[in-house]
Amino acid sequence: MAFGFRRDLTRPDDGEGRERVAFVELFFDLIFVFALTQLSAYLSTESTPLGALEGAIMVCALWWVWISTTWLTNWLDPRRLPVRSAVIALALLALVLSVSITQAFGDRAWAFALTYVAMQLLRAVVMILATWRHDREAARTFVRVLVWQSAGGALWIGGALLPLPFQLPMWGAALAVEYVSATVDFRTPGLGRSKPETWDLSGAHLAERAALFVLIALGETFLVTGFAFAGAESTPAAVAGVASAFVAAAAMWWIYFDHGEREGSAAISAADRPGRLARTAYTYVHLAVIGGIVLTSVGDKEVLAHPHELSPSGIVTILGGPALFLIGTLLFRFVVARRWMLPHLAGLVALAAAAVAASALTPLALGLVASGVLVAVAVGETAVRVREGREQGG
């Protein structure tokens, strides 16, 4: 008996449909605006080393379900009814996942784990059904993906059933399984390995999807800062804190979109092995970019809540967020263009110097320094682009 969908659901080979981001993908993204605000709230309240580890696991989990869904819609045409229905079902599961974040290491551990596993397995099954008749090699790839995700899923569910001292390492191991699976080409005993160089990708679509998620993360910083300011007294320190947060977000937007975002799309389109390049640049490197933006929003909230009382966790969030963002954008530019951006490196050195002198500063002053460093990096990168005569970005 024939297996899989009779109609070919893959994206068209050329034309607008090849690169276009569908509205249902944007609908899916809306859930992650809420997810990132929940994550930011969790990191703000759990400002301990343990809380940081828990937050890191949730950042990695949220990014993995989002980027995995982006690969699905890069491969399949979201305008097709079965694909659109699958994305909406994944959006519903993502909503359940999001409302479980603040209690993921508490009463809602089972909900978080079961929902996460359901998203991963559903996506792999849809891909197998969609490609089995029309691209057997791709279907075999997603059979291997299903095997790996089933192994990770067992660890997720097992961790949810165990006390916290065991839950954290189990979930960490589950993420390690999934993140490692792609780096080893989903090599599976008896099933062989996948060949990313044969994957049929739309570089423009993947680059635009990643850019849209960066915008979502930046929008989340405005939500966090806006709510914090709305609930506080309008003092000069609070006004300065909001202004600093806005400048930092604008500078991060500039650093990412002035030119780097376009380089990703162009590099994938010109690459001999686009699958491997896209996997490195977007699946992995962009995690640091998003994590840096989320951590920056936590630092902005810290500045508004305690403008004159600096804590160790405040130093980590206020300076660590911009540093992680710069590391991510620096690595992204190196992966897609094989160049180290000197303004980014100088910015990281400046943030390290600020960390050394942090004990002599207030949170507000430290936030202003971090924002100033980001602005300087944005100006420096633009100056390099103009001097080299490269095309302006978005």
Side-chain angles (χ1 to χ4, degrees), residues 221-236:
T221 68
F222 293 132
L223 283 176
V224 170
T225 305
F227 281 126
F229 181 75
E233 185 179 353
S234 298
T235 62

Side-chain angles (χ1 to χ4, degrees), residues 212-286:
L212 288 170
F213 199 82
V214 170
L215 285 176
I216 289 172
L218 289 172
E220 182 269 340
T221 68
F222 293 132
L223 283 176
V224 170
T225 305
F227 281 126
F229 181 75
E233 185 179 353
S234 298
T235 62
V239 173
V242 169
S244 175
F246 176 82
V247 169
M252 288 190 288
W253 176 90
W254 194 285
I255 291 168
Y256 185 87
F257 286 96
D258 182 58
H259 189 72
E261 179 268 338
R262 289 192 177 190
E263 285 190 335
S265 175
I268 293 174
S269 299
D272 294 330
R273 298 191 295 177
R276 293 189 182 280
L277 178 62
R279 184 181 63 190
T280 302
Y282 292 103
T283 300
Y284 292 110
V285 172
H286 264 66

Side-chain angles (χ1 to χ4, degrees), residues 23-316:
F23 289 117
V24 72
E25 296 177 83
L26 302 180
F27 175 79
F28 178 78
D29 289 351
L30 291 175
I31 304 299
F32 285 83
V33 177
F34 173 65
L36 292 179
T37 59
Q38 291 290 95
L39 179 59
S40 179
Y42 185 86
L43 290 170
S44 295
T45 56
E46 300 294 331
S47 55
T48 64
L50 178 61
L53 285 174
E54 294 171 352
I57 284 178
M58 285 186 285
V59 168
C60 292
L62 286 176
W63 173 252
W64 200 248
V65 295
W66 184 87
I67 192 63
S68 298
T69 303
T70 295
W71 278 93
L72 179 146
T73 55
N74 188 272
W75 214 303
L76 304 182
D77 188 352
R79 296 173 300 177
R80 302 288 189 180
L81 183 59
V83 182
R84 183 187 306 174
S85 300
V87 173
I88 291 175
L90 288 168
L92 174 60
L93 292 171
L95 179 60
V96 178
L97 190 76
S98 301
V99 299
S100 306
I101 286 175
T102 56
Q103 289 295 321
F105 290 90
D107 294 338
R108 293 183 177 174
W110 60 272
F112 188 93
L114 286 175
T115 307
Y116 179 90
V117 173
M119 290 186 72
Q120 298 298 78
L121 298 184
L122 171 62
R123 189 185 308 103
V125 169
V126 168
M127 288 297 304
I128 293 169
L129 291 173
T131 57
W132 191 264
R133 290 190 181 204
H134 311 284
D135 188 345
R136 191 60 59 85
E137 183 57 36
R140 292 192 182 98
T141 289
F142 288 99
V143 170
R144 299 181 190 105
V145 170
L146 182 62
V147 171
W148 278 90
Q149 290 179 341
S150 297
L155 293 171
W156 278 105
I157 295 172
L161 299 174
L162 295 174
L164 181 59
F166 300 98
Q167 178 186 350
L168 187 63
M170 286 282 281
W171 281 10
L175 279 174
V177 167
E178 294 187 83
Y179 273 74
V180 167
S181 65
T183 66
V184 297
D185 299 333
F186 304 107
R187 191 183 301 273
T188 307
L191 298 175
R193 56 175 284 270
S194 301
K195 299 177 180 179
E197 56 269 18
T198 66
W199 294 351
D200 187 18
L201 301 175
S202 169
H205 173 267
L206 199 59
E208 185 174 354
R209 293 293 291 127
L212 288 170
F213 199 82
V214 170
L215 285 176
I216 289 172
L218 289 172
E220 182 269 340
T221 68
F222 293 132
L223 283 176
V224 170
T225 305
F227 281 126
F229 181 75
E233 185 179 353
S234 298
T235 62
V239 173
V242 169
S244 175
F246 176 82
V247 169
M252 288 190 288
W253 176 90
W254 194 285
I255 291 168
Y256 185 87
F257 286 96
D258 182 58
H259 189 72
E261 179 268 338
R262 289 192 177 190
E263 285 190 335
S265 175
I268 293 174
S269 299
D272 294 330
R273 298 191 295 177
R276 293 189 182 280
L277 178 62
R279 184 181 63 190
T280 302
Y282 292 103
T283 300
Y284 292 110
V285 172
H286 264 66
L287 175 60
V289 176
I290 301 302
I293 296 174
V294 172
L295 195 60
T296 299
S297 73
V298 178
D300 294 337
K301 189 174 182 179
E302 176 72 17
V303 170
L304 288 171
H306 309 287
H308 305 296
E309 302 173 11
L310 186 62
S311 63
S313 63
I315 298 174
V316 171

